[in-house]
Amino acid sequence: MTGKRILLGISAGIAAYKSAHLARLLKKAGAEVRVVMTEGAQAFITPLTLQALTGEPVRTSLLDPEAEAGMGHIELARWAELILIAPATADLMARLAHGHADDLLTTLCLASEAERVMAPAMNQAMWRHPATQDNARRLEAHGWRLLGPDAGDQACGDVGPGRMLEPETIVNELLGFKSPGTAPAVPFDTAPVSDTHTSDAADAHGMVVTITAGPTREPLDPVRYLSNHSSGKMGFALAKAAAERGARVRLISGPVALETPAGVERIDVESAVGMLEAAQEAAVDSDLFIGCAAVADYRAEQVAEHKIKKTAGDDALTLRLVKNPDIIATIAKNTAGKARPFMVGFAAETRELERYAQDKLNRKNLDMVVANDVGQAGLGFGAEDNAALVLWRETEGTPPGRLELPPQSKGALAATIIETALKRLHARQGSSSSSMPPQAKQ
């Protein structure tokens, strides 16, 4: 990041206090930093603070007589190589999504051809609102990269997605911006800075998380295979959310056309058998294992050596299929009594969602299950949004814990699922003789 020209935009959210630390970290990483603040942002943090940290004047006005030819927005738009807005409020996202240019920050965003990144920060209900989700998708379509938001306790007292990512996490994301899928060579410590609203129960720093994602392909012959409609988006969103909480993440993926989240180790597989082998190896030192992949239930008993040809006079083709291994049930069973990961399964259903989810929770010896109705239009396979019912084991003899998550972006849903899993994992560790992760015990 040495010499990279970064324009840091700050909008009117309580998370603006984190922007001072973010500016310091960007400078420490070698970047040149200039700050633009909205009028509302100045109610949360003063321009003088940012000026002292960056060594540059802070811009707040669209019509600045001291700017070059009085055209401050054009001057800054040409100067910036990267525009980073942190925090980005719901209001600012809405204005940028619809092309408004009514203050300095929004105007220079429209006038610049720089890379554009924002870290949303707002109340959880505001983030989940369909209008905000529509704006987020519109911004991404316009070339913005959204980092977060994180999930956890909020200043207003709510709990859920909407917290701005920690400054260290944002900088690490930027360090990996040019090389998706690889961790930065010298990452900043992602342990949260002092923040009375941070939920320690949802911290993953130092943990190992393994996630399976996407479909599997079961070959029939050299050119055909059995598969399903899974895009892998949910599993990749979970990997991103876990990495943003400081976890070391292994993502075992079937064939998908998705970019690996920054800082995540990706392992590509094709078949269910290949995914099982990778999962068994990865589960050995994992604290949390999430089976999100849509694994084919069956495979061909025999794979044809050559392409299967149509035969004249035959209007039907008979295939003999055999059952594939149940990956998450195998991991849950074979690691019992060892350093067993906290096991989270997914259930894609088209009817009787809760009954089938609870059955899967018990039958496969899971700690938590996330069920979604893939029969709903606009949700599930291939879609950008999803909804879920989350069930988890409580104490012996009591009904499972239950959380309903309404339709929302898969990124927001993933943040809440990871938060819930980590809280249950910490609760389980707290009730055991030691709360150390498996790899620390070895």
Side-chain angles (χ1 to χ4, degrees), residues 408-435:
Q408 56 197 278
S409 75
K410 287 182 176 178
L413 193 72
T416 304
I417 291 170
I418 291 294
E419 176 191 19
T420 304
L422 290 172
K423 285 183 176 179
R424 304 314 308 165
L425 171 56
H426 281 292
R428 188 184 77 174
Q429 289 177 334
S431 63
S432 66
S433 59
S434 172
S435 62

mmCIF file with all atom_site columns, all heavy atoms in Angstrom, residues 408-435:
data_model
loop_
_atom_site.group_PDB
_atom_site.id
_atom_site.type_symbol
_atom_site.label_atom_id
_atom_site.label_alt_id
_atom_site.label_comp_id
_atom_site.label_asym_id
_atom_site.label_entity_id
_atom_site.label_seq_id
_atom_site.pdbx_PDB_ins_code
_atom_site.Cartn_x
_atom_site.Cartn_y
_atom_site.Cartn_z
_atom_site.occupancy
_atom_site.B_iso_or_equiv
_atom_site.pdbx_formal_charge
_atom_site.auth_seq_id
_atom_site.auth_comp_id
_atom_site.auth_asym_id
_atom_site.auth_atom_id
_atom_site.pdbx_PDB_model_num
ATOM 1   N N   . GLN A 1 408 ? -33.223 -11.661 3.349  1.00 0.00 ? 408 GLN A N   1
ATOM 2   C CA  . GLN A 1 408 ? -32.194 -10.627 3.355  1.00 0.00 ? 408 GLN A CA  1
ATOM 3   C C   . GLN A 1 408 ? -31.054 -11.096 2.452  1.00 0.00 ? 408 GLN A C   1
ATOM 4   O O   . GLN A 1 408 ? -31.077 -12.224 1.958  1.00 0.00 ? 408 GLN A O   1
ATOM 5   C CB  . GLN A 1 408 ? -31.678 -10.384 4.770  1.00 0.00 ? 408 GLN A CB  1
ATOM 6   C CG  . GLN A 1 408 ? -31.148 -11.635 5.449  1.00 0.00 ? 408 GLN A CG  1
ATOM 7   C CD  . GLN A 1 408 ? -31.018 -11.489 6.951  1.00 0.00 ? 408 GLN A CD  1
ATOM 8   O OE1 . GLN A 1 408 ? -30.037 -10.950 7.438  1.00 0.00 ? 408 GLN A OE1 1
ATOM 9   N NE2 . GLN A 1 408 ? -32.019 -11.962 7.698  1.00 0.00 ? 408 GLN A NE2 1
ATOM 10  N N   . SER A 1 409 ? -30.069 -10.239 2.235  1.00 0.00 ? 409 SER A N   1
ATOM 11  C CA  . SER A 1 409 ? -28.943 -10.641 1.403  1.00 0.00 ? 409 SER A CA  1
ATOM 12  C C   . SER A 1 409 ? -28.202 -11.805 2.060  1.00 0.00 ? 409 SER A C   1
ATOM 13  O O   . SER A 1 409 ? -28.194 -11.950 3.285  1.00 0.00 ? 409 SER A O   1
ATOM 14  C CB  . SER A 1 409 ? -27.979 -9.474  1.191  1.00 0.00 ? 409 SER A CB  1
ATOM 15  O OG  . SER A 1 409 ? -27.222 -9.235  2.370  1.00 0.00 ? 409 SER A OG  1
ATOM 16  N N   . LYS A 1 410 ? -27.571 -12.623 1.233  1.00 0.00 ? 410 LYS A N   1
ATOM 17  C CA  . LYS A 1 410 ? -26.835 -13.761 1.778  1.00 0.00 ? 410 LYS A CA  1
ATOM 18  C C   . LYS A 1 410 ? -25.649 -13.312 2.622  1.00 0.00 ? 410 LYS A C   1
ATOM 19  O O   . LYS A 1 410 ? -25.262 -14.000 3.568  1.00 0.00 ? 410 LYS A O   1
ATOM 20  C CB  . LYS A 1 410 ? -26.378 -14.675 0.636  1.00 0.00 ? 410 LYS A CB  1
ATOM 21  C CG  . LYS A 1 410 ? -27.538 -15.456 0.024  1.00 0.00 ? 410 LYS A CG  1
ATOM 22  C CD  . LYS A 1 410 ? -27.113 -16.410 -1.075 1.00 0.00 ? 410 LYS A CD  1
ATOM 23  C CE  . LYS A 1 410 ? -28.310 -17.225 -1.565 1.00 0.00 ? 410 LYS A CE  1
ATOM 24  N NZ  . LYS A 1 410 ? -27.970 -18.142 -2.676 1.00 0.00 ? 410 LYS A NZ  1
ATOM 25  N N   . GLY A 1 411 ? -25.100 -12.138 2.314  1.00 0.00 ? 411 GLY A N   1
ATOM 26  C CA  . GLY A 1 411 ? -24.022 -11.610 3.139  1.00 0.00 ? 411 GLY A CA  1
ATOM 27  C C   . GLY A 1 411 ? -24.487 -11.288 4.539  1.00 0.00 ? 411 GLY A C   1
ATOM 28  O O   . GLY A 1 411 ? -23.822 -11.621 5.535  1.00 0.00 ? 411 GLY A O   1
ATOM 29  N N   . ALA A 1 412 ? -25.644 -10.622 4.649  1.00 0.00 ? 412 ALA A N   1
ATOM 30  C CA  . ALA A 1 412 ? -26.191 -10.284 5.968  1.00 0.00 ? 412 ALA A CA  1
ATOM 31  C C   . ALA A 1 412 ? -26.590 -11.540 6.727  1.00 0.00 ? 412 ALA A C   1
ATOM 32  O O   . ALA A 1 412 ? -26.357 -11.666 7.934  1.00 0.00 ? 412 ALA A O   1
ATOM 33  C CB  . ALA A 1 412 ? -27.391 -9.350  5.812  1.00 0.00 ? 412 ALA A CB  1
ATOM 34  N N   . LEU A 1 413 ? -27.187 -12.480 6.011  1.00 0.00 ? 413 LEU A N   1
ATOM 35  C CA  . LEU A 1 413 ? -27.603 -13.736 6.636  1.00 0.00 ? 413 LEU A CA  1
ATOM 36  C C   . LEU A 1 413 ? -26.393 -14.500 7.159  1.00 0.00 ? 413 LEU A C   1
ATOM 37  O O   . LEU A 1 413 ? -26.401 -15.027 8.281  1.00 0.00 ? 413 LEU A O   1
ATOM 38  C CB  . LEU A 1 413 ? -28.364 -14.578 5.620  1.00 0.00 ? 413 LEU A CB  1
ATOM 39  C CG  . LEU A 1 413 ? -29.125 -15.783 6.173  1.00 0.00 ? 413 LEU A CG  1
ATOM 40  C CD1 . LEU A 1 413 ? -30.348 -15.335 6.945  1.00 0.00 ? 413 LEU A CD1 1
ATOM 41  C CD2 . LEU A 1 413 ? -29.560 -16.699 5.026  1.00 0.00 ? 413 LEU A CD2 1
ATOM 42  N N   . ALA A 1 414 ? -25.332 -14.530 6.358  1.00 0.00 ? 414 ALA A N   1
ATOM 43  C CA  . ALA A 1 414 ? -24.114 -15.236 6.763  1.00 0.00 ? 414 ALA A CA  1
ATOM 44  C C   . ALA A 1 414 ? -23.525 -14.646 8.033  1.00 0.00 ? 414 ALA A C   1
ATOM 45  O O   . ALA A 1 414 ? -23.066 -15.381 8.916  1.00 0.00 ? 414 ALA A O   1
ATOM 46  C CB  . ALA A 1 414 ? -23.087 -15.197 5.632  1.00 0.00 ? 414 ALA A CB  1
ATOM 47  N N   . ALA A 1 415 ? -23.525 -13.313 8.138  1.00 0.00 ? 415 ALA A N   1
ATOM 48  C CA  . ALA A 1 415 ? -22.961 -12.662 9.324  1.00 0.00 ? 415 ALA A CA  1
ATOM 49  C C   . ALA A 1 415 ? -23.701 -13.095 10.586 1.00 0.00 ? 415 ALA A C   1
ATOM 50  O O   . ALA A 1 415 ? -23.089 -13.378 11.622 1.00 0.00 ? 415 ALA A O   1
ATOM 51  C CB  . ALA A 1 415 ? -23.015 -11.147 9.162  1.00 0.00 ? 415 ALA A CB  1
ATOM 52  N N   . THR A 1 416 ? -25.033 -13.172 10.513 1.00 0.00 ? 416 THR A N   1
ATOM 53  C CA  . THR A 1 416 ? -25.822 -13.579 11.679 1.00 0.00 ? 416 THR A CA  1
ATOM 54  C C   . THR A 1 416 ? -25.631 -15.056 11.990 1.00 0.00 ? 416 THR A C   1
ATOM 55  O O   . THR A 1 416 ? -25.569 -15.447 13.161 1.00 0.00 ? 416 THR A O   1
ATOM 56  C CB  . THR A 1 416 ? -27.311 -13.273 11.441 1.00 0.00 ? 416 THR A CB  1
ATOM 57  O OG1 . THR A 1 416 ? -27.474 -11.891 11.137 1.00 0.00 ? 416 THR A OG1 1
ATOM 58  C CG2 . THR A 1 416 ? -28.141 -13.597 12.680 1.00 0.00 ? 416 THR A CG2 1
ATOM 59  N N   . ILE A 1 417 ? -25.534 -15.891 10.969 1.00 0.00 ? 417 ILE A N   1
ATOM 60  C CA  . ILE A 1 417 ? -25.322 -17.328 11.194 1.00 0.00 ? 417 ILE A CA  1
ATOM 61  C C   . ILE A 1 417 ? -23.972 -17.570 11.860 1.00 0.00 ? 417 ILE A C   1
ATOM 62  O O   . ILE A 1 417 ? -23.865 -18.350 12.816 1.00 0.00 ? 417 ILE A O   1
ATOM 63  C CB  . ILE A 1 417 ? -25.421 -18.093 9.861  1.00 0.00 ? 417 ILE A CB  1
ATOM 64  C CG1 . ILE A 1 417 ? -26.869 -18.077 9.362  1.00 0.00 ? 417 ILE A CG1 1
ATOM 65  C CG2 . ILE A 1 417 ? -24.937 -19.537 10.022 1.00 0.00 ? 417 ILE A CG2 1
ATOM 66  C CD1 . ILE A 1 417 ? -27.024 -18.594 7.939  1.00 0.00 ? 417 ILE A CD1 1
ATOM 67  N N   . ILE A 1 418 ? -22.934 -16.909 11.367 1.00 0.00 ? 418 ILE A N   1
ATOM 68  C CA  . ILE A 1 418 ? -21.608 -17.059 11.976 1.00 0.00 ? 418 ILE A CA  1
ATOM 69  C C   . ILE A 1 418 ? -21.629 -16.565 13.417 1.00 0.00 ? 418 ILE A C   1
ATOM 70  O O   . ILE A 1 418 ? -21.080 -17.213 14.329 1.00 0.00 ? 418 ILE A O   1
ATOM 71  C CB  . ILE A 1 418 ? -20.546 -16.299 11.156 1.00 0.00 ? 418 ILE A CB  1
ATOM 72  C CG1 . ILE A 1 418 ? -20.314 -16.984 9.805  1.00 0.00 ? 418 ILE A CG1 1
ATOM 73  C CG2 . ILE A 1 418 ? -19.232 -16.183 11.931 1.00 0.00 ? 418 ILE A CG2 1
ATOM 74  C CD1 . ILE A 1 418 ? -19.700 -18.363 9.894  1.00 0.00 ? 418 ILE A CD1 1
ATOM 75  N N   . GLU A 1 419 ? -22.263 -15.422 13.646 1.00 0.00 ? 419 GLU A N   1
ATOM 76  C CA  . GLU A 1 419 ? -22.361 -14.891 15.012 1.00 0.00 ? 419 GLU A CA  1
ATOM 77  C C   . GLU A 1 419 ? -23.050 -15.887 15.943 1.00 0.00 ? 419 GLU A C   1
ATOM 78  O O   . GLU A 1 419 ? -22.585 -16.160 17.059 1.00 0.00 ? 419 GLU A O   1
ATOM 79  C CB  . GLU A 1 419 ? -23.131 -13.573 14.998 1.00 0.00 ? 419 GLU A CB  1
ATOM 80  C CG  . GLU A 1 419 ? -23.371 -13.001 16.393 1.00 0.00 ? 419 GLU A CG  1
ATOM 81  C CD  . GLU A 1 419 ? -24.364 -11.847 16.389 1.00 0.00 ? 419 GLU A CD  1
ATOM 82  O OE1 . GLU A 1 419 ? -25.118 -11.713 15.413 1.00 0.00 ? 419 GLU A OE1 1
ATOM 83  O OE2 . GLU A 1 419 ? -24.385 -11.091 17.370 1.00 0.00 ? 419 GLU A OE2 1
ATOM 84  N N   . THR A 1 420 ? -24.164 -16.459 15.484 1.00 0.00 ? 420 THR A N   1
ATOM 85  C CA  . THR A 1 420 ? -24.917 -17.409 16.305 1.00 0.00 ? 420 THR A CA  1
ATOM 86  C C   . THR A 1 420 ? -24.094 -18.658 16.586 1.00 0.00 ? 420 THR A C   1
ATOM 87  O O   . THR A 1 420 ? -24.048 -19.155 17.718 1.00 0.00 ? 420 THR A O   1
ATOM 88  C CB  . THR A 1 420 ? -26.229 -17.787 15.592 1.00 0.00 ? 420 THR A CB  1
ATOM 89  O OG1 . THR A 1 420 ? -26.970 -16.601 15.304 1.00 0.00 ? 420 THR A OG1 1
ATOM 90  C CG2 . THR A 1 420 ? -27.072 -18.701 16.473 1.00 0.00 ? 420 THR A CG2 1
ATOM 91  N N   . ALA A 1 421 ? -23.430 -19.185 15.563 1.00 0.00 ? 421 ALA A N   1
ATOM 92  C CA  . ALA A 1 421 ? -22.610 -20.389 15.744 1.00 0.00 ? 421 ALA A CA  1
ATOM 93  C C   . ALA A 1 421 ? -21.468 -20.142 16.729 1.00 0.00 ? 421 ALA A C   1
ATOM 94  O O   . ALA A 1 421 ? -21.183 -20.976 17.596 1.00 0.00 ? 421 ALA A O   1
ATOM 95  C CB  . ALA A 1 421 ? -22.063 -20.850 14.395 1.00 0.00 ? 421 ALA A CB  1
ATOM 96  N N   . LEU A 1 422 ? -20.819 -18.986 16.616 1.00 0.00 ? 422 LEU A N   1
ATOM 97  C CA  . LEU A 1 422 ? -19.696 -18.678 17.507 1.00 0.00 ? 422 LEU A CA  1
ATOM 98  C C   . LEU A 1 422 ? -20.167 -18.520 18.949 1.00 0.00 ? 422 LEU A C   1
ATOM 99  O O   . LEU A 1 422 ? -19.498 -18.960 19.887 1.00 0.00 ? 422 LEU A O   1
ATOM 100 C CB  . LEU A 1 422 ? -18.986 -17.418 17.035 1.00 0.00 ? 422 LEU A CB  1
ATOM 101 C CG  . LEU A 1 422 ? -18.190 -17.558 15.730 1.00 0.00 ? 422 LEU A CG  1
ATOM 102 C CD1 . LEU A 1 422 ? -17.690 -16.189 15.263 1.00 0.00 ? 422 LEU A CD1 1
ATOM 103 C CD2 . LEU A 1 422 ? -17.014 -18.524 15.906 1.00 0.00 ? 422 LEU A CD2 1
ATOM 104 N N   . LYS A 1 423 ? -21.323 -17.909 19.145 1.00 0.00 ? 423 LYS A N   1
ATOM 105 C CA  . LYS A 1 423 ? -21.851 -17.761 20.507 1.00 0.00 ? 423 LYS A CA  1
ATOM 106 C C   . LYS A 1 423 ? -22.171 -19.120 21.110 1.00 0.00 ? 423 LYS A C   1
ATOM 107 O O   . LYS A 1 423 ? -21.895 -19.371 22.289 1.00 0.00 ? 423 LYS A O   1
ATOM 108 C CB  . LYS A 1 423 ? -23.093 -16.874 20.481 1.00 0.00 ? 423 LYS A CB  1
ATOM 109 C CG  . LYS A 1 423 ? -22.791 -15.397 20.289 1.00 0.00 ? 423 LYS A CG  1
ATOM 110 C CD  . LYS A 1 423 ? -24.047 -14.548 20.347 1.00 0.00 ? 423 LYS A CD  1
ATOM 111 C CE  . LYS A 1 423 ? -23.711 -13.065 20.240 1.00 0.00 ? 423 LYS A CE  1
ATOM 112 N NZ  . LYS A 1 423 ? -24.917 -12.200 20.277 1.00 0.00 ? 423 LYS A NZ  1
ATOM 113 N N   . ARG A 1 424 ? -22.761 -20.023 20.304 1.00 0.00 ? 424 ARG A N   1
ATOM 114 C CA  . ARG A 1 424 ? -23.053 -21.361 20.816 1.00 0.00 ? 424 ARG A CA  1
ATOM 115 C C   . ARG A 1 424 ? -21.759 -22.141 21.083 1.00 0.00 ? 424 ARG A C   1
ATOM 116 O O   . ARG A 1 424 ? -21.672 -22.897 22.049 1.00 0.00 ? 424 ARG A O   1
ATOM 117 C CB  . ARG A 1 424 ? -23.921 -22.134 19.822 1.00 0.00 ? 424 ARG A CB  1
ATOM 118 C CG  . ARG A 1 424 ? -25.240 -21.480 19.421 1.00 0.00 ? 424 ARG A CG  1
ATOM 119 C CD  . ARG A 1 424 ? -26.017 -20.932 20.575 1.00 0.00 ? 424 ARG A CD  1
ATOM 120 N NE  . ARG A 1 424 ? -26.218 -21.903 21.639 1.00 0.00 ? 424 ARG A NE  1
ATOM 121 C CZ  . ARG A 1 424 ? -26.615 -21.604 22.867 1.00 0.00 ? 424 ARG A CZ  1
ATOM 122 N NH1 . ARG A 1 424 ? -26.819 -20.332 23.195 1.00 0.00 ? 424 ARG A NH1 1
ATOM 123 N NH2 . ARG A 1 424 ? -26.788 -22.547 23.767 1.00 0.00 ? 424 ARG A NH2 1
ATOM 124 N N   . LEU A 1 425 ? -20.769 -21.950 20.215 1.00 0.00 ? 425 LEU A N   1
ATOM 125 C CA  . LEU A 1 425 ? -19.476 -22.616 20.402 1.00 0.00 ? 425 LEU A CA  1
ATOM 126 C C   . LEU A 1 425 ? -18.813 -22.137 21.685 1.00 0.00 ? 425 LEU A C   1
ATOM 127 O O   . LEU A 1 425 ? -18.319 -22.949 22.485 1.00 0.00 ? 425 LEU A O   1
ATOM 128 C CB  . LEU A 1 425 ? -18.573 -22.344 19.208 1.00 0.00 ? 425 LEU A CB  1
ATOM 129 C CG  . LEU A 1 425 ? -17.097 -22.776 19.326 1.00 0.00 ? 425 LEU A CG  1
ATOM 130 C CD1 . LEU A 1 425 ? -16.983 -24.263 19.643 1.00 0.00 ? 425 LEU A CD1 1
ATOM 131 C CD2 . LEU A 1 425 ? -16.343 -22.446 18.056 1.00 0.00 ? 425 LEU A CD2 1
ATOM 132 N N   . HIS A 1 426 ? -18.799 -20.829 21.910 1.00 0.00 ? 426 HIS A N   1
ATOM 133 C CA  . HIS A 1 426 ? -18.206 -20.292 23.136 1.00 0.00 ? 426 HIS A CA  1
ATOM 134 C C   . HIS A 1 426 ? -18.968 -20.781 24.368 1.00 0.00 ? 426 HIS A C   1
ATOM 135 O O   . HIS A 1 426 ? -18.367 -21.065 25.405 1.00 0.00 ? 426 HIS A O   1
ATOM 136 C CB  . HIS A 1 426 ? -18.199 -18.765 23.093 1.00 0.00 ? 426 HIS A CB  1
ATOM 137 C CG  . HIS A 1 426 ? -17.098 -18.194 22.254 1.00 0.00 ? 426 HIS A CG  1
ATOM 138 N ND1 . HIS A 1 426 ? -15.765 -18.293 22.595 1.00 0.00 ? 426 HIS A ND1 1
ATOM 139 C CD2 . HIS A 1 426 ? -17.123 -17.513 21.083 1.00 0.00 ? 426 HIS A CD2 1
ATOM 140 C CE1 . HIS A 1 426 ? -15.014 -17.704 21.680 1.00 0.00 ? 426 HIS A CE1 1
ATOM 141 N NE2 . HIS A 1 426 ? -15.815 -17.217 20.745 1.00 0.00 ? 426 HIS A NE2 1
ATOM 142 N N   . ALA A 1 427 ? -20.281 -20.895 24.242 1.00 0.00 ? 427 ALA A N   1
ATOM 143 C CA  . ALA A 1 427 ? -21.077 -21.382 25.369 1.00 0.00 ? 427 ALA A CA  1
ATOM 144 C C   . ALA A 1 427 ? -20.728 -22.833 25.677 1.00 0.00 ? 427 ALA A C   1
ATOM 145 O O   . ALA A 1 427 ? -20.626 -23.231 26.835 1.00 0.00 ? 427 ALA A O   1
ATOM 146 C CB  . ALA A 1 427 ? -22.569 -21.254 25.049 1.00 0.00 ? 427 ALA A CB  1
ATOM 147 N N   . ARG A 1 428 ? -20.528 -23.643 24.629 1.00 0.00 ? 428 ARG A N   1
ATOM 148 C CA  . ARG A 1 428 ? -20.151 -25.036 24.840 1.00 0.00 ? 428 ARG A CA  1
ATOM 149 C C   . ARG A 1 428 ? -18.773 -25.146 25.459 1.00 0.00 ? 428 ARG A C   1
ATOM 150 O O   . ARG A 1 428 ? -18.543 -25.944 26.373 1.00 0.00 ? 428 ARG A O   1
ATOM 151 C CB  . ARG A 1 428 ? -20.194 -25.797 23.509 1.00 0.00 ? 428 ARG A CB  1
ATOM 152 C CG  . ARG A 1 428 ? -20.012 -27.302 23.674 1.00 0.00 ? 428 ARG A CG  1
ATOM 153 C CD  . ARG A 1 428 ? -19.970 -28.023 22.339 1.00 0.00 ? 428 ARG A CD  1
ATOM 154 N NE  . ARG A 1 428 ? -18.670 -27.862 21.677 1.00 0.00 ? 428 ARG A NE  1
ATOM 155 C CZ  . ARG A 1 428 ? -18.333 -28.486 20.549 1.00 0.00 ? 428 ARG A CZ  1
ATOM 156 N NH1 . ARG A 1 428 ? -19.207 -29.262 19.950 1.00 0.00 ? 428 ARG A NH1 1
ATOM 157 N NH2 . ARG A 1 428 ? -17.139 -28.295 20.011 1.00 0.00 ? 428 ARG A NH2 1
ATOM 158 N N   . GLN A 1 429 ? -17.825 -24.322 24.972 1.00 0.00 ? 429 GLN A N   1
ATOM 159 C CA  . GLN A 1 429 ? -16.478 -24.352 25.526 1.00 0.00 ? 429 GLN A CA  1
ATOM 160 C C   . GLN A 1 429 ? -16.474 -23.903 26.979 1.00 0.00 ? 429 GLN A C   1
ATOM 161 O O   . GLN A 1 429 ? -15.736 -24.433 27.808 1.00 0.00 ? 429 GLN A O   1
ATOM 162 C CB  . GLN A 1 429 ? -15.556 -23.456 24.693 1.00 0.00 ? 429 GLN A CB  1
ATOM 163 C CG  . GLN A 1 429 ? -15.242 -24.012 23.324 1.00 0.00 ? 429 GLN A CG  1
ATOM 164 C CD  . GLN A 1 429 ? -14.390 -23.072 22.493 1.00 0.00 ? 429 GLN A CD  1
ATOM 165 O OE1 . GLN A 1 429 ? -14.425 -21.857 22.702 1.00 0.00 ? 429 GLN A OE1 1
ATOM 166 N NE2 . GLN A 1 429 ? -13.646 -23.614 21.555 1.00 0.00 ? 429 GLN A NE2 1
ATOM 167 N N   . GLY A 1 430 ? -17.334 -22.923 27.281 1.00 0.00 ? 430 GLY A N   1
ATOM 168 C CA  . GLY A 1 430 ? -17.396 -22.420 28.650 1.00 0.00 ? 430 GLY A CA  1
ATOM 169 C C   . GLY A 1 430 ? -17.904 -23.449 29.632 1.00 0.00 ? 430 GLY A C   1
ATOM 170 O O   . GLY A 1 430 ? -17.588 -23.408 30.824 1.00 0.00 ? 430 GLY A O   1
ATOM 171 N N   . SER A 1 431 ? -18.701 -24.402 29.122 1.00 0.00 ? 431 SER A N   1
ATOM 172 C CA  . SER A 1 431 ? -19.236 -25.435 30.008 1.00 0.00 ? 431 SER A CA  1
ATOM 173 C C   . SER A 1 431 ? -18.323 -26.652 30.116 1.00 0.00 ? 431 SER A C   1
ATOM 174 O O   . SER A 1 431 ? -18.573 -27.565 30.888 1.00 0.00 ? 431 SER A O   1
ATOM 175 C CB  . SER A 1 431 ? -20.613 -25.894 29.506 1.00 0.00 ? 431 SER A CB  1
ATOM 176 O OG  . SER A 1 431 ? -20.491 -26.494 28.232 1.00 0.00 ? 431 SER A OG  1
ATOM 177 N N   . SER A 1 432 ? -17.246 -26.668 29.295 1.00 0.00 ? 432 SER A N   1
ATOM 178 C CA  . SER A 1 432 ? -16.300 -27.782 29.332 1.00 0.00 ? 432 SER A CA  1
ATOM 179 C C   . SER A 1 432 ? -15.151 -27.449 30.269 1.00 0.00 ? 432 SER A C   1
ATOM 180 O O   . SER A 1 432 ? -15.051 -26.362 30.826 1.00 0.00 ? 432 SER A O   1
ATOM 181 C CB  . SER A 1 432 ? -15.779 -28.078 27.923 1.00 0.00 ? 432 SER A CB  1
ATOM 182 O OG  . SER A 1 432 ? -15.020 -26.991 27.450 1.00 0.00 ? 432 SER A OG  1
ATOM 183 N N   . SER A 1 433 ? -14.251 -28.378 30.428 1.00 0.00 ? 433 SER A N   1
ATOM 184 C CA  . SER A 1 433 ? -13.130 -28.178 31.351 1.00 0.00 ? 433 SER A CA  1
ATOM 185 C C   . SER A 1 433 ? -12.124 -27.185 30.838 1.00 0.00 ? 433 SER A C   1
ATOM 186 O O   . SER A 1 433 ? -11.325 -26.647 31.597 1.00 0.00 ? 433 SER A O   1
ATOM 187 C CB  . SER A 1 433 ? -12.424 -29.515 31.601 1.00 0.00 ? 433 SER A CB  1
ATOM 188 O OG  . SER A 1 433 ? -11.950 -30.059 30.372 1.00 0.00 ? 433 SER A OG  1
ATOM 189 N N   . SER A 1 434 ? -12.120 -26.937 29.540 1.00 0.00 ? 434 SER A N   1
ATOM 190 C CA  . SER A 1 434 ? -11.175 -25.992 28.952 1.00 0.00 ? 434 SER A CA  1
ATOM 191 C C   . SER A 1 434 ? -11.813 -25.313 27.789 1.00 0.00 ? 434 SER A C   1
ATOM 192 O O   . SER A 1 434 ? -12.524 -25.918 27.007 1.00 0.00 ? 434 SER A O   1
ATOM 193 C CB  . SER A 1 434 ? -9.911  -26.703 28.480 1.00 0.00 ? 434 SER A CB  1
ATOM 194 O OG  . SER A 1 434 ? -9.085  -25.805 27.760 1.00 0.00 ? 434 SER A OG  1
ATOM 195 N N   . SER A 1 435 ? -11.596 -23.993 27.642 1.00 0.00 ? 435 SER A N   1
ATOM 196 C CA  . SER A 1 435 ? -12.152 -23.246 26.527 1.00 0.00 ? 435 SER A CA  1
ATOM 197 C C   . SER A 1 435 ? -11.139 -23.045 25.424 1.00 0.00 ? 435 SER A C   1
ATOM 198 O O   . SER A 1 435 ? -11.360 -22.278 24.499 1.00 0.00 ? 435 SER A O   1
ATOM 199 C CB  . SER A 1 435 ? -12.653 -21.861 27.012 1.00 0.00 ? 435 SER A CB  1
ATOM 200 O OG  . SER A 1 435 ? -11.574 -21.114 27.527 1.00 0.00 ? 435 SER A OG  1
#
